[in-house]
Structure formats: structure tokens, C-alpha cells
């Protein structure tokens, strides 16, 4: 089964970080987004408000084409950087988008606690869908 591909990103503290910091025993949701995408903004707002229900899920929010300043602005606007189950940043290369063949944003890849891929959502999904999907695992 598919595991999380390796990646390097520049996080909101301007520090290079890799997939190695993802906690081993948590489900993971990789969200590929664009700061200016309306659907991404709605998702970030919803997820931020629902984080209490999703505190056991580790989120990786990544963007590629946008400057770090816009990534930081997005994180700040939706209070994403306040959560300790959240990694957010700008990818250093195009590895992830090409691995997943991403066409739309937000794209989500959901992994279980063993970090095996369970499902991808080509155009994102809601908090409740993620919560119930991961409960079944």
C-alpha cells in the first residue's frame, strides 16, 4: 500500500522541514492548497473551527506556486499555526503534486495510523467525512 512520499518544505517559521517530523502513530491528512483558492479558504476556516474534533489527526498543509509570505498570511488568517497537529508550508519541489497527480485544490490524501493511504479527495472534503472515515480504521 502507498506510504507518504518524502518531501521538504519551508514552514511558516521559515525553517526547512521534511516528512520525517510527521508523528508515527497518528493518521495523517495531506492538504495541497492554494492560498487564493476560495474552496481552500472555506476548508481552512472549517477545519480550524473543528480542530478539537480532529486533534488526533496530523495535518500537512502544503502549497507550491505561492511565496512563503502568502502561505504565512493564509495560516494566520485561519489560525492554523496555533495547532500542534499541523504542519504548514511551501514545498521545496514539485514531488508531492506530481506524485498525487493533483489537478484541483484543495486536494487531500488521507493516511491511517500506519501511514497507509486510505483515500484521496480530488477536490477536498469536509471535517465530518474525515472524522468518520478515520473512525472506521
Amino acid at each position: 500500500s502507498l506510504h507518504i512520499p518524502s518531501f521538504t518544505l519551508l514552514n511558516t517559521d521559515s525553517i526547512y522541514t521534511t516528512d520525517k517530523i510527521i508523528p508515527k502513530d497518528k493518521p495523517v491528512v495531506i492538504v495541497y492548497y492554494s492560498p487564493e483558492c476560495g474552496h481552500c479558504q472555506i476548508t481552512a476556516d472549517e477545519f480550524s473551527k473543528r480542530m478539537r474534533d480532529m486533534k488526533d489527526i496530523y495535518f500537512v498543509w502544503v502549497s507550491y506556486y505561492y511565496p512563503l509570505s502568502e502561505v504565512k498570511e493564509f495560516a494566520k488568517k485561519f489560525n492554523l499555526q496555533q495547532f500542534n497537529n499541523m504542519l504548514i508550508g511551501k514545498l521545496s519541489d514539485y514531488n508531492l503534486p506530481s506524485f498525487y497527480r493533483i489537478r484541483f485544490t484543495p486536494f487531500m490524501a488521507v493516511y491511517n495510523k500506519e501511514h497507509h493511504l486510505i483515500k484521496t479527495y480530488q477536490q477536498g472534503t469536509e471535517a465530518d467525512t474525515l472524522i468518520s472515515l478515520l473512525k472506521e480504521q
Side-chain angles (χ1 to χ4, degrees):
S1 60
L2 287 171
H3 288 271
I4 298 169
S6 61
F7 61 83
T8 302
L9 62 77
L10 195 54
N11 72 16
T12 47
D13 296 324
S14 305
I15 295 164
Y16 281 101
T17 310
T18 72
D19 54 285
K20 303 282 181 282
I21 77 152
I22 296 173
K24 293 274 178 275
D25 53 349
K26 279 180 185 266
V28 176
V29 177
I30 293 176
V31 184
Y32 181 82
Y33 78 102
S34 301
E36 63 184 27
C37 136
H39 190 173
C40 301
Q41 294 174 18
I42 291 165
T43 300
D45 190 45
E46 188 215 359
F47 281 21
S48 180
K49 290 176 177 142
R50 295 293 306 280
M51 208 45 81
R52 196 176 295 122
D53 303 322
M54 302 196 293
K55 62 184 187 304
D56 297 329
I57 304 170
Y58 192 81
F59 287 91
V60 181
W61 282 72
V62 291
S63 195
Y64 178 70
Y65 291 109
Y66 297 83
L68 189 64
S69 58
E70 289 187 38
V71 169
K72 283 182 177 173
E73 194 60 37
F74 183 92
K76 207 170 119 192
K77 185 176 181 185
F78 301 106
N79 297 313
L80 298 180
Q81 76 281 41
Q82 68 173 319
F83 302 109
N84 56 10
N85 60 328
M86 179 86 64
L87 172 61
I88 180 162
K90 174 185 166 55
L91 291 168
S92 301
D93 57 50
Y94 201 66
N95 184 12
L96 282 190
S98 77
F99 177 85
Y100 295 118
R101 297 188 172 87
I102 295 173
R103 306 208 317 280
F104 308 105
T105 54
F107 166 90
M108 293 178 198
V110 185
Y111 293 84
N112 65 13
K113 282 205 280 282
E114 289 77 42
H115 295 178
H116 298 152
L117 185 67
I118 311 171
K119 198 168 168 71
T120 58
Y121 294 95
Q122 291 300 324
Q123 301 186 50
T125 192
E126 273 127 34
D128 285 329
T129 308
L130 290 180
I131 292 163
S132 54
L133 175 70
L134 288 165
K135 269 205 182 98
E136 294 162 15
Q137 294 306 307

